Amino acid sequence: MNKLNPIGVFDSGYGGLTILAELQQKLPEYDFLYLGDNARAPYGPRSFDVVYEFTLEAVEYLFNQGCELVVLACNTASAKALRTIQQKDLPQLFPSKRVLGVIRPSTEAIGDLSVTNHVGILATEGTVKSESYVIEIGKFSPNTIVSQHACPIWVPLIENNKHFTEAGKMLIREDVEKLLQKDQQIDTIILACTHYPILKEYIQSIVPENVQIVAQGAIIAEKLHDYLERHPEIEQKCSKTGNTRYLTTENETVFSQNASLFLNQEIIAEHIKLN
Ligand code: DGL
């Protein structure tokens, strides 16, 4: 894909593939370059400084591959690194390029989703501690009551394909119950980690019928579509041959095998080094 200008899609590992799948469906004419930093996942328990450093390395790599626009398809990176990259690094290093996250678009949509105005957030420890969802929902939907629960075991379970073992399902069920115990009026749960949509059907099957489980992918795809319409100066630079390349910092064969769980298609990944 040399000389192309794909849209970069970054995640700590496989989770961003749930976003990529929706982007490919909504914007099939565009080229995408996916990068999973699987060798250093999970990001959830890492400090702000480390997540920022790793995310900036990935963004620079994607820019150097020709991306004009990078989507951080990772809530943890969006919570801990996006603002600094947008405000400090881009103006100095890449003033014409753009980086977007997944938290703001998701919180903009929340007001239309909940009837009770009681919303639950399931996310990594890093995203929960950053309070990003509470702060952003407060801006767009100030009457909404937000309860959060961190699920530090979920990303390792998913990255290792152990999430649907009996033990895995029990751990997931316990976390969901802990969230619902915090507020019995919750009618909407946001899967605020891009790894979690792979669990959506299971979680929907264990919550009361009036509780809806919301994955971010379709929301992000819709918002990116709007963004490209509003920003022709970026949109015109994005190449459109309908191709996607997949990069991973882990072993490329392992990535290719596991990626099919998230994408329902065969892919061939390439190994890269970020540092
Ligand atoms: N997919 C990332 C997110 O949305 C996972 C974080 C991790 O690596 O712990 O937060």
Side-chain angles (χ1 to χ4, degrees):
M1 211 196 266
N2 284 344
K3 300 215 177 89
L4 294 184
N5 302 107
I7 297 173
V9 180
F10 169 68
D11 182 43
S12 60
Y14 298 109
L17 295 170
T18 63
I19 303 287
L20 176 69
E22 299 283 349
L23 300 183
Q24 288 171 326
Q25 203 180 323
K26 180 82 189 168
L27 302 161
E29 66 276 31
Y30 290 85
D31 297 313
F32 295 99
L33 182 56
Y34 185 86
L35 171 53
D37 191 8
N38 302 72
R40 302 189 291 194
Y43 278 15
R46 294 187 186 274
S47 69
F48 263 79
D49 290 352
V50 170
V51 172
Y52 162 65
E53 183 193 320
F54 288 0
T55 304
L56 182 59
E57 281 173 11
V59 167
E60 286 187 336
Y61 187 94
L62 289 168
F63 283 163
N64 289 330
Q65 296 293 305
C67 299
E68 293 293 330
L69 171 67
V70 171
V71 178
L72 300 184
C74 175
N75 288 269
T76 310
S78 300
K80 293 183 167 185
L82 179 64
R83 184 184 292 240
T84 314
I85 291 177
Q86 283 176 332
Q87 294 181 355
K88 179 175 147 268
D89 300 300
L90 286 191
Q92 279 172 19
L93 302 171
F94 303 96
S96 64
K97 299 193 186 237
R98 294 290 174 266
V99 180
L100 305 174
V102 287
I103 296 180
R104 195 181 172 126
S106 307
T107 56
E108 278 173 2
I110 274 170
D112 298 333
L113 295 172
S114 173
V115 176
T116 60
N117 280 338
H118 289 249
V119 167
I121 304 292
L122 292 169
T124 67
E125 214 178 331
T127 300
V128 167
K129 280 195 183 145
S130 75
E131 296 271 316
S132 299
Y133 273 88
V134 179
I135 295 165
E136 292 294 321
I137 292 172
K139 287 183 200 158
F140 297 112
S141 191
N143 296 327
T144 299
I145 311 291
V146 184
S147 301
Q148 307 191 87
H149 181 69
C151 312
I153 198 74
W154 290 18
V155 170
L157 277 177
I158 294 166
E159 287 278 313
N160 293 296
N161 199 11
K162 294 274 191 295
H163 46 287
F164 289 143
T165 59
E166 280 314 307
K169 286 200 279 191
M170 193 188 74
L171 292 164
I172 291 162
R173 203 167 50 239
E174 278 174 11
D175 279 321
V176 174
E177 281 165 6
K178 280 183 190 152
L179 175 69
L180 290 174
Q181 278 159 15
K182 290 188 180 181
D183 178 356
Q184 297 190 349
Q185 292 188 67
I186 290 173
D187 71 347
T188 303
I189 295 179
I190 311 293
L191 301 179
C193 169
T194 55
H195 280 69
Y196 299 175
I198 198 166
L199 308 173
K200 185 178 172 199
E201 268 179 45
Y202 175 65
I203 298 174
Q204 190 70 70
S205 77
I206 58 171
V207 296
E209 259 179 28
N210 68 317
V211 178
Q212 60 170 334
I213 308 299
V214 178
Q216 298 171 297
I219 299 171
I220 305 304
E222 195 59 50
K223 298 280 181 182
L224 182 61
H225 175 264
D226 294 352
Y227 177 90
L228 292 169
E229 275 192 353
R230 283 184 286 109
H231 293 274
E233 75 288 1
I234 298 288
E235 197 282 334
Q236 280 156 15
K237 291 185 199 156
C238 297
S239 58
K240 299 173 195 73
T241 65
N243 277 295
T244 303
R245 260 175 78 203
Y246 300 87
L247 310 176
T248 175
T249 54
E250 246 295 349
N251 176 284
E252 67 275 19
T253 311
V254 174
F255 183 90
S256 301
Q257 280 164 1
N258 289 341
S260 59
L261 287 172
F262 291 82
L263 280 174
N264 286 330
Q265 54 172 292
E266 295 283 309
I267 62 130
I268 297 173
E270 300 158 51
H271 171 77
I272 60 133
K273 278 201 162 93
L274 277 179
N275 52 359

